Amino acid sequence: MPLFEPSPAVQRDEPKPMSDRQRESLRAAFAQLGVTAAKDQFALVETLTGQRISSPRELGAQQAQALLIQLRRRSEQAGQTFTGNAWADRQEDTWIDKL
């Protein structure tokens, strides 16, 4: 057996599939953003992850979790306006604000 060939006993780890709970959370996150059409959801997945998918089953558990975090972040920011000024756009009070 060549040195750098994987041994037959070593199996490649397949990504863990997305759970039903993650799938439901993703549906809810898309609904909260008002993205209900599958075409639009796939486009948003590609925008946020850089991965083009044709079925939700193509997302593993880790990818689904990362996507869910990004969708929630986007949802939190949906009602906010950004001026481009980091000081004015900050989310929390600074020590100066607390004086």
Side-chain angles (χ1 to χ4, degrees):
M1 177 188 301
L3 181 62
F4 293 103
E5 290 292 321
S7 69
V10 176
Q11 295 180 353
R12 305 235 186 262
D13 289 335
E14 292 292 323
K16 184 179 175 184
M18 176 184 357
S19 69
D20 290 339
R21 184 179 216 166
Q22 286 176 311
R23 188 172 290 108
E24 289 300 318
S25 295
L26 286 171
R27 284 184 187 138
F30 279 121
Q32 189 170 8
L33 287 169
V35 182
T36 56
K39 178 182 170 185
D40 297 333
Q41 291 173 354
F42 288 136
L44 187 54
V45 169
E46 184 176 4
T47 298
L48 295 176
T49 67
Q51 179 182 359
R52 179 176 284 175
I53 62 170
S54 57
S55 167
R57 297 186 194 282
E58 294 176 32
L59 290 175
Q62 277 188 314
Q63 295 166 315
Q65 188 61 34
L67 176 60
L68 189 54
I69 290 168
Q70 292 177 339
L71 290 172
R72 287 179 178 155
R73 189 174 299 142
R74 188 170 273 219
S75 180
E76 290 168 1
Q77 295 172 348
Q80 301 173 0
T81 57
F82 294 99
T83 65
N85 179 323
W87 180 259
D89 293 341
R90 69 190 185 285
Q91 299 299 315
E92 63 278 340
D93 288 341
T94 65
W95 64 272
I96 291 174
D97 296 320
K98 295 176 184 178
L99 289 179

